[in-house]
Amino acid sequence: MNICHCSLCRKQTGTSFGVFAQVKPEDFEYVSGASLVERFESSPGNFRGFCSVCGSSVPAPSPGRPGVPIPAGTIEGDPRVRPAFHMMVGSKAPWVELHDELPRFDEFVLGHEDAHLPNSDDD
Ligand SMILES: [Zn+2]
């Protein structure tokens, strides 16, 4: 799970940052409602999804991406994972102050082989 401060995540969520649980593409499938998911390409090759009925952010796999981001606020119950790091901190909203001890990256780090991410071997 990661916390992303990029402007696109802020706009998608309508809040100060996005929190996403990442799953491997091969481990993701819709169990219902797939036909209700609308997608838009927020940046080249990166799709974001929302429910065409209620407008909620929902997962939308992007072909070729290393993970499928699950908007954490849509997860029912305790997912038993917690945020491991902040990314795109260089783009964070000016009113946000970070007070936790999580690692912080100024750039996008998911999928970068050289990114040393805590708990990356725990899946
Ligand atoms: Zn983001």
Side-chain angles (χ1 to χ4, degrees), residues 40-107:
F40 70 98
E41 194 169 12
S42 61
S43 56
N46 187 48
F47 292 88
R48 293 174 186 257
F50 61 95
C51 174
S52 61
V53 175
C54 72
S56 297
S57 295
V58 297
S62 297
R65 293 290 173 133
V68 177
I70 311 297
T74 65
I75 299 171
E76 294 180 359
D78 187 341
R80 295 178 293 146
V81 295
R82 297 292 181 262
F85 60 93
H86 295 267
M87 68 178 191
M88 299 297 290
V89 174
S91 299
K92 76 175 182 60
W95 60 82
V96 170
E97 296 179 7
L98 304 178
H99 298 289
D100 59 44
E101 300 300 319
L102 297 175
R104 301 170 185 178
F105 301 92
D106 280 341
E107 307 297 336

Side-chain angles (χ1 to χ4, degrees), residues 9 13 18 26 30 36 59 75 92 117:
C9 284
T13 61
E26 60 269 27
Y30 294 108
L36 302 176
I75 299 171
K92 76 175 182 60
L117 304 178

Side-chain angles (χ1 to χ4, degrees), residues 2-10 18 20 48 87-88 108:
N2 66 281
I3 300 169
C4 185
H5 296 268
C6 82
S7 63
L8 295 173
C9 284
R10 288 190 277 124
F20 297 93
R48 293 174 186 257
M87 68 178 191
M88 299 297 290
F108 185 85

